[in-house]
Amino acid sequence: VYTLAVGNDGTVFTGSSDHPIRVWSGDDGALLQTLEGHTMSVHSLAAGLDNTLFSGSNDATIRMWTILDGQYVHLRTFSGHTGAVMALAVSADGKLYSGSHDRTIRVWSDGGTTIF
């Protein structure tokens, strides 16, 4: 496990070298779901507002996941970094911040474009 995040409802998310993100029950530790999409290791996770999850990977992308009918589904992919996405944070107003091996920090708008 390289990274973990905890959602507002206590759900635990983990990312590792085998590419998928795993979703775990915060109550009993049961595996609830496996999220596929990244093509390389997942190094960063951040729980967002309104049951969203952001994941950053060695594939230089950030994926946004949300709950639909009780399951997490991929909603959007953020592209722009040229190196592994190693750090993610969500501010209180919902902005997504990312840090990468490409030596940049990016702030993302709701539409998936970079503010800087």
Side-chain angles (χ1 to χ4, degrees):
V1 173
Y2 291 150
T3 183
L4 66 86
V6 179
N8 293 336
D9 64 355
T11 301
V12 177
F13 306 92
T14 59
S16 61
S17 63
D18 61 356
H19 310 181
I21 299 153
R22 289 182 175 77
V23 183
W24 307 88
S25 168
D27 294 327
D28 62 11
L31 179 63
L32 301 175
Q33 190 178 353
T34 301
L35 308 179
E36 304 279 347
H38 285 293
T39 59
M40 298 179 82
S41 301
V42 176
H43 280 277
S44 52
L45 294 170
L49 309 176
D50 301 326
N51 293 314
T52 57
L53 175 71
F54 296 93
S55 57
S57 171
N58 274 5
D59 64 14
T61 67
I62 300 164
R63 289 182 172 256
M64 180 180 184
W65 310 82
T66 191
I67 291 182
L68 182 64
D69 296 327
Q71 294 287 303
Y72 277 87
V73 295
H74 175 249
L75 184 64
R76 174 180 300 138
T77 300
F78 298 82
S79 298
H81 282 296
T82 59
V85 179
M86 301 300 289
L88 293 171
V90 178
S91 64
D93 64 357
K95 286 190 183 92
L96 174 65
Y97 294 76
S98 60
S100 169
H101 267 195
D102 64 13
R103 299 180 185 193
T104 65
I105 296 171
R106 293 181 182 259
V107 181
W108 303 85
S109 72
D110 290 342
T113 57
T114 55
I115 297 171
F116 72 84

